[in-house]
Amino acid sequence: QLQLVESGGGLVQPGGSLRLSCAASGFSLDYYAIGWSRQAPGKEREGVSCISNLDSSTIYADSVTGRFTISRDSAKNTVYLQMNSLKPEDTAVYYCAADCTLLAGNPQGYRYLDVTGQGTLVAISS
């Protein structure tokens, strides 16, 4: 069974940090582009970050550039999203998927798989 499971969400104060994890089972993350997206209440889902399957190059939304870092641990078959300097507007449910369409479209060579995690809630509040 192909599965992605997110973890690491929680409630933190503005300026704080969180690290989200996206663990895969049933397939290797190395062979697919992996994207993080988020959806805030009443808003559409937006792409946050993507790591490609080609050369592990990374892409970030303008709103998180310089604050968020995506990375991949092949040995653990896990992708991480390190989030620093968190702001109240970062509050959302965060999803990982073997898909970067929201942020990157469908660049040549990117490999996608129809698998999305269940999401993890990130809440930024004082």
Side-chain angles (χ1 to χ4, degrees):
Q1 183 179 3
L2 308 180
Q3 194 173 16
L4 291 170
V5 178
E6 303 97 333
S7 61
L11 172 65
V12 297
Q13 294 185 341
S17 297
L18 282 173
R19 188 178 77 159
L20 305 183
S21 299
C22 172
S25 58
F27 69 102
S28 173
L29 288 174
D30 286 349
Y31 296 126
Y32 298 94
I34 304 299
W36 285 96
S37 62
R38 66 187 181 186
Q39 187 164 21
K43 295 187 177 181
E44 293 187 356
R45 190 173 297 192
E46 62 172 341
V48 173
S49 184
C50 172
I51 184 165
S52 82
N53 54 285
L54 297 173
D55 55 5
S56 292
S57 57
T58 58
I59 305 171
Y60 298 95
D62 289 345
S63 58
V64 306
T65 296
R67 300 188 298 122
F68 290 12
T69 302
I70 190 171
S71 62
R72 188 198 327 257
D73 186 332
S74 298
K76 295 183 178 180
N77 207 23
T78 299
V79 167
Y80 300 100
L81 186 68
Q82 178 67 43
M83 307 187 297
N84 299 328
S85 303
L86 284 162
K87 305 175 181 180
E89 51 264 43
D90 294 318
T91 295
V93 177
Y94 284 70
Y95 300 90
C96 70
D99 189 304
C100 292
T101 302
L102 283 176
L103 189 60
N106 192 15
Q108 187 174 5
Y110 275 43
R111 189 178 298 123
Y112 292 161
L113 189 64
D114 187 15
V115 183
T116 301
Q118 82 289 347
T120 185
L121 177 63
V122 172
I124 313 303
S125 176
S126 54

